[in-house]
Amino acid sequence: MTIDSRAEIESAFAGFPSGVAALAADVSGAPVGLVSTSFTVGVSFEPPQVLFSVQRSSRTWPTLRRAERIGVSVLARGHEAVCMQLASRSRDRFAGLDITRGEGGALLVSDAAMWLECSLHNELDSGSHTLVILTVERVHVGDGAEPLVYHHRGFRDLARIASAESRGRAAVEAAA
């Protein structure tokens, strides 16, 4: 099977559900951040490392990469508006957001499912993107907050999906 167009591959990739991570830091006195749906944990356990990819055309990454520490906030259910604001190119990405400051300038979104404070380990060019490996310096897992899930170009609710699956199983069992 061949790939006929970029739209076809983008559509295929959109079918893979992912979490949503906000990466942010204070760089030279100004908050800088971006959103990633390519964030991956468990790249390495010793040392602890995570990975994400960023478009090589990004105007934000060249500034954010200069931070001593980058805050990674795995966004939680209910953070849809936060995600859209941090991804915006036309407004102040941090206006009105509840942000916590970590060490070395890391910025963390309040009430996230998980926080990581990371340092840049390596960058690898790969086609249209750069693969970025971060070393985890500090970690805080939230109090059971469900992660925000992105799938087919929209946000999904794990609890709603699980509930629908339970209702479907119950209906099948009742019919048997």
Side-chain angles (χ1 to χ4, degrees):
M1 178 179 275
T2 61
I3 300 168
D4 294 326
S5 70
R6 180 178 170 138
E8 185 177 24
I9 194 69
E10 286 178 359
S11 178
F13 286 0
F16 185 79
S18 66
V20 182
L23 295 98
D26 190 311
V27 180
S28 301
V32 179
L34 55 85
V35 171
S36 174
T37 58
S38 65
F39 182 72
T40 302
V41 299
V43 172
S44 171
F45 292 109
E46 291 185 27
Q49 293 179 327
V50 295
L51 174 140
F52 74 100
S53 66
V54 62
Q55 290 182 14
R56 290 177 68 180
S57 62
S58 171
R59 291 180 288 169
T60 304
W61 177 242
T63 302
L64 183 58
R65 70 178 304 284
R66 296 190 339 241
E68 177 185 338
R69 293 262 177 99
I70 297 171
V72 178
S73 302
V74 175
L75 298 181
R77 183 171 58 138
H79 275 149
E80 293 87 345
V82 171
C83 176
M84 297 307 291
Q85 181 171 334
L86 287 171
S88 174
R89 293 182 182 176
S90 62
R91 61 190 265 205
D92 180 350
R93 293 179 179 178
F94 293 88
L97 293 184
D98 190 6
I99 300 292
T100 298
R101 293 189 177 274
E103 291 186 16
L107 298 178
L108 303 156
V109 176
S110 296
D111 299 323
M114 177 175 56
W115 287 341
L116 305 172
E117 293 178 42
C118 302
S119 59
L120 178 61
H121 174 73
N122 200 5
E123 298 172 275
L124 305 164
D125 285 337
S126 183
S128 60
H129 284 66
T130 299
L131 303 178
V132 179
I133 300 170
L134 302 173
T135 299
V136 179
E137 308 289 347
R138 296 181 70 188
V139 62
H140 173 78
V141 178
D143 297 325
E146 289 187 28
L148 184 61
V149 175
Y150 192 74
H151 181 244
H152 279 300
R153 297 181 178 93
F155 299 109
R156 304 293 181 239
D157 184 338
L158 288 178
R160 190 179 73 232
I161 293 167
S163 176
E165 287 176 359
S166 293
R167 285 192 307 271
R169 279 193 301 274
V172 167
E173 290 169 2

